[in-house]
Amino acid sequence: MRHRFPMLMAAALWGALAVAQPVTSTYEGTERGVTTRIALRVDGTRVEGGMQEGALALGLRGTLTGQRLSAMILDPASGRELLPLTGELRGDTLVISIRPDAASPPRTLSLSRVDGARASAPAGGASAASAGAPDPAIVGRWRNESQINSPGGAGGFASLSTVRYLELAADGRVRQSVRSAGGGANWSTQAGETVEFVGRWEARGAELWVKADGAAAFVRAATWRRVGERLVTEDGQGRRIWER
């Protein structure tokens, strides 16, 4: 059976790879305008993690022997093995290879390590920004929906749809979650709601700052503005339009 498959990752910020204790590193790369992110949690030689392309995320499980990665991409709902993935760590670069089917040559992609790149505060630290507080103008439960017909990343895929929820409470709590579904010629997957972020939020002028539960300080997450009844946010991943 011929399979076509997206390359995916989990959206969070993790630490550096190490053998002494389980830690997670995040890598990112772009091919044909499609961004692929991969998170690897390494515990000795055991590897678990996730892959994300757009907002469609699948699981990842395998082994890391020296700098060589051997893993299977999984359906997150059933745990079913979908496609094999191999890779090699070269410093802060992860080079991966996926073979969509036995008749096709492997497709490779080079991803750069991005741990903490989006979590670092601007020069001068968070204290250099003006103090903030929850802004009543954006308090509420917001919904962003998108559908993408992709030209395909390193693995290739047909389409995906995503519904993301952003809850900005008046007491300063924030929660973001996502549901996604997608499919191609010979595969399909649908994930239940996944929590992406939980913590606290502040509006500092036109900037949205957040602090994850357990984190020491707020970090800048995005800029925001109201356009009629909609909320528009922009960050390193692009622009999103939210509706209540």
Side-chain angles (χ1 to χ4, degrees):
M1 180 181 293
R2 183 180 179 86
H3 294 277
R4 294 183 62 80
F5 186 75
M7 304 179 59
L8 311 158
M9 84 146 223
L13 298 172
W14 290 290
L17 283 174
V19 176
Q21 58 183 354
V23 289
T24 311
S25 286
T26 305
Y27 298 84
E28 182 175 294
T30 301
E31 180 180 272
R32 301 177 187 175
V34 179
T35 298
T36 299
R37 301 187 72 195
I38 294 182
L40 299 178
R41 183 180 185 274
V42 180
D43 184 1
T45 60
R46 179 181 175 184
V47 174
E48 293 182 347
M51 305 177 65
Q52 182 172 338
E53 187 168 77
L56 183 61
L58 300 185
L60 187 68
R61 183 173 62 230
T63 59
L64 182 67
T65 305
Q67 304 301 306
R68 299 281 184 175
L69 173 66
S70 178
M72 292 296 299
I73 301 170
L74 311 173
D75 182 327
S78 65
R80 180 169 61 95
E81 295 183 348
L82 300 175
L83 286 176
L85 176 149
T86 59
E88 182 180 0
L89 288 170
R90 302 174 183 174
D92 286 337
T93 300
L94 172 64
V95 179
I96 61 171
S97 178
I98 292 178
R99 186 185 294 273
D101 54 64
S104 301
R107 300 187 179 187
T108 61
L109 180 63
S110 178
L111 301 96
S112 299
R113 184 171 157 185
V114 295
D115 298 9
R118 292 183 175 84
S120 58
S127 61
S130 58
D135 190 322
I138 56 175
V139 167
R141 189 172 191 262
W142 300 90
R143 183 176 186 270
N144 169 265
E145 185 171 358
S146 64
Q147 183 164 341
I148 301 173
N149 295 317
S150 172
F157 69 98
S159 65
L160 65 87
S161 61
T162 304
V163 178
R164 181 170 274 105
Y165 300 96
L166 176 63
E167 301 174 45
L168 300 170
D171 64 359
R173 296 292 297 170
V174 58
R175 181 180 186 272
Q176 183 169 297
S177 60
V178 65
R179 292 178 180 271
S180 61
N186 296 305
W187 67 272
S188 64
T189 184
Q190 182 170 347
E193 185 172 353
T194 300
V195 176
E196 296 181 306
F197 185 89
V198 176
R200 303 197 63 81
W201 73 280
E202 293 181 351
R204 302 182 181 182
E207 296 180 345
L208 180 64
W209 287 63
V210 298
K211 180 167 74 73
D213 285 346
F218 280 84
V219 296
R220 180 183 180 277
T223 60
W224 69 272
R225 67 180 187 275
R226 285 291 302 272
V227 179
E229 295 301 312
R230 295 180 174 87
L231 171 66
V232 180
T233 61
E234 293 187 57
D235 58 17
Q237 299 297 308
R239 177 185 301 175
R240 288 197 179 105
I241 300 175
W242 307 80
E243 297 182 342
R244 293 187 191 275

